[in-house]
Structures are given as structure tokens and as C-alpha cells.
Amino acid sequence: MHNYRPAPVLEALGVCSEDEQLYRVLLARPEATTTDLVADTGWAAARVARHLRSLLSLGLASRTPGRPARFTPAVPEAAVELLALRKQAAIVEARLSAAVLTQEFRAKRDAGPFTVIRGQQAMAQRFYQAQQTAQSEVLVLDKPPFVVLPIGPRRAHGVTYRTIYDMAALVEPAEIAAARSAGPSCRMLRDVPMKLVVADRRTGLIQTGQELVEIGPSSLLDALLRLFELLWQQATSLSPSSSEGPLSFEDQQLLALAAAGLTDQAIARRLGVAQRTVERRMQRILKALDATTRFQAGLRAGQRGLLN
């Protein structure tokens, strides 16, 4: 009787732990009879017979002709590949069924491409699902107040993000540093008009107070995509260019915040420095760019690619 039970590895493919346990016994004793398996497992004959039938149906074992009946395990590599293919086929079928169910759901509600989701937990879950199931691209507009947790990028492998943060969403220096670490895929804008997530340009989620409106392919979703692109062009990069020039990275960062409309006091608070430090650095930036006003400095920096 085997007392040691290794951790199951086939559960993800639909094989229960007892089926796998019996399969492992077969691997150690090919062409075993039912009597052999009863002795090796310590199970009752009916229990062994039940799990043998399961292994045969899963393709993990085969029965040899003759009496007494003997059972041979399938080669693990081939068996696992077959189980994985079956799992993939089941996933495809489930997705197709989900599309049919979605059509029926919307038809009964007569909601067209719109679905309203209520409740903080349900809203947060839908935001998370939309990002996790994205295949190629996620577009985000993020602003307070936060009825659910801030959206922010939840990066999945192979999925690109572009996020525009409202200035009010980035208050502490740590918050702006975290957003800046995402590189040029994050920008900042004063007065972002809404909280929005668009996944793969096919599903849009708009948070309106205590409700979440889900929008499928439609002219409204097309309009939201155009709005995002316009806002993206207007927004200021949180990761200023590292191209060579008269400005240090810190100078570029400060000028980017100033170009976004922040006051010296607000910039100092976000960077965690004194307001006098911001003022001195701004004077140095004006001199380096041969500018007399902040507007002129921002314009010249933009022309040199320092704010993109």
C-alpha cells in the first residue's frame, strides 16, 4: 500500500486527485489487474473499479484483452497533451456559449449595447475582469472620487496600456512616482471628464457615481475612443524625454508638471520638495531655454521633444 501521496498535478486538466493517485499507481505497475490495484491502494474493489472507469474515459489508461483484465497507463506526455486539447476546446465552447447568453441577456433587457452594473463589489470586479481578459490594448481615464479602488494599470502579458490620470488623482509624491514608472504609457491632464476603461476597443466601462455602464460595439463607443485620442494629445507625459539637451531629468519632470497647469506649491507637494526649490529650478529652466515666461519655456521644450 502506498502511504506517500504526492501533490496532484492534473487537477487543472479536470482529473480528480483520486483518479490521479490511481494513475500514478498504474505508472509504477503497468498491466496491473484490479486485484493488484486493490492491494497497492488499499481501496475497496468497487472504488478501484469506479476510478478505473474514469481513467479509461479520460484516456489515461487502456484495458488489455484477456482474462484477468489488465490495465496499462497512457504515456504521461501524450495523455496530458490530449487532456489539454480537450480543455482548450471546452474553453472555446464556453466562450461561444457566453456570447449567445450575452445576446439573450441584452435582448431580454432591451438594452442594446448597454448594461448597467450596480454595487461597489460588482463594479470593481467588472473593472478587473475587463483588464484581465483584454487581448491587446487597454485605454484608461482615471479620476476621483473613487467609489471603487482607483483603476490604474493591471498589466497582463502582451497587453499595452495607455492611461490618462486626472491631476487630482495624483496627490502624493509616491503616487506620481508610481505612475511615472509606467513610462510614456501614462499621462496627466487637468479635469479628466470621466472614469473610463476600454478593453480591445470593443468593451467600454464608464463609472457614473454608484453605477457602472458597460458599452459594447456602437457609435457611442467609437465616440469615446475618439475622445480618448484627443485627450491623449492634450495630456502631459509623466516620463519626460531623456534625450540630450539643456535640461536634467528633474528639470524636465518639473516643467512637465508646470505645463500640466500645476502651481509651484502643488508641484512642490507632489515632488516632496520645498516651494523655494521649485522656484529656483524654474528660474534655471527659463534661463536654459532662453525663455522669459513659463508658457514660452513649455512651448520650446515641446518643440524639442522634452515633454512627449
Side-chain angles (χ1 to χ4, degrees):
M1 176 179 178
H2 293 278
N3 293 321
Y4 170 68
R5 296 183 180 180
V9 297
L10 300 179
E11 283 185 339
L13 297 176
V15 180
C16 74
S17 60
E18 289 192 339
D19 283 351
E20 181 173 340
Q21 186 179 347
L22 187 59
Y23 176 62
R24 288 175 180 270
V25 173
L26 271 176
L27 288 174
R29 189 170 186 174
E31 297 190 4
T33 65
T34 300
T35 302
D36 295 332
L37 295 175
V38 167
D40 286 353
T41 61
W43 296 351
R47 183 181 178 187
V48 169
R50 182 172 68 254
H51 289 290
L52 275 174
R53 289 194 296 270
S54 181
L55 292 181
L56 292 172
S57 66
L58 290 169
L60 290 174
S62 59
R63 178 176 176 171
T64 61
R67 290 182 178 276
R70 296 182 179 275
F71 299 89
T72 302
V75 177
E77 184 177 4
V80 168
E81 182 65 22
L82 178 60
L83 290 173
L85 289 174
R86 289 177 178 173
K87 196 73 171 180
Q88 290 174 1
I91 291 172
V92 171
E93 183 177 354
R95 285 175 172 168
L96 292 174
S97 299
V100 173
L101 291 174
T102 299
Q103 291 177 355
E104 293 178 356
F105 172 72
R106 287 177 173 159
K108 290 180 180 180
R109 292 171 61 95
D110 194 25
F114 309 106
T115 302
V116 177
I117 301 169
R118 297 181 177 88
Q120 292 187 22
Q121 184 175 358
M123 291 163 63
Q125 182 181 38
R126 190 65 191 97
F127 272 131
Y128 178 80
Q129 288 175 342
Q131 296 178 76
Q132 291 299 307
T133 58
Q135 300 292 310
S136 59
E137 179 188 48
V138 174
L139 308 177
V140 178
L141 297 178
D142 205 6
K143 63 171 297 183
F146 298 114
V147 178
V148 297
L149 292 175
I151 300 171
R154 291 184 173 87
R155 302 190 179 279
H157 180 70
V159 177
T160 60
Y161 269 78
R162 282 192 291 158
T163 303
I164 303 175
Y165 290 101
D166 189 285
M167 289 197 310
L170 303 175
V171 178
E172 301 297 331
E175 293 173 343
I176 194 169
R180 191 178 66 243
S181 67
S185 64
C186 288
R187 295 187 178 185
M188 182 171 61
L189 184 68
R190 181 187 294 274
D191 297 329
V192 170
M194 67 185 72
K195 186 187 293 288
L196 171 72
V197 169
V198 180
D200 295 333
R201 297 181 175 262
R202 291 186 55 82
T203 302
L205 300 172
I206 300 177
Q207 182 179 327
T208 59
Q210 300 289 335
E211 295 180 341
L212 185 65
V213 180
E214 180 171 343
I215 305 169
S218 61
S219 57
L220 176 57
L221 183 59
D222 293 339
L224 290 172
L225 289 169
R226 287 194 292 270
L227 173 64
F228 181 91
E229 297 300 340
L230 288 173
L231 295 177
W232 182 258
Q233 294 301 318
Q234 298 173 17
T236 302
S237 173
L238 288 169
S239 294
S241 171
S242 60
S243 58
E244 296 184 0
L247 303 182
S248 67
F249 178 83
E250 290 76 15
D251 291 338
Q252 294 178 44
Q253 179 183 357
L254 189 154
L255 188 56
L257 294 174
L262 274 72
T263 64
D264 287 351
Q265 183 179 12
I267 293 173
R269 184 170 61 251
R270 302 208 179 190
L271 297 182
V273 299
Q275 183 174 338
R276 183 176 293 275
T277 300
V278 173
E279 294 170 351
R280 286 200 304 266
R281 287 171 57 186
M282 183 58 70
Q283 289 301 316
R284 186 173 66 248
I285 291 172
L286 293 175
K287 183 177 180 180
L289 293 173
D290 192 24
T292 57
T293 66
R294 295 187 180 197
F295 176 79
Q296 189 179 40
L299 182 61
R300 292 185 177 181
Q303 292 172 340
R304 298 182 188 184
L306 298 178
L307 298 179
N308 296 321

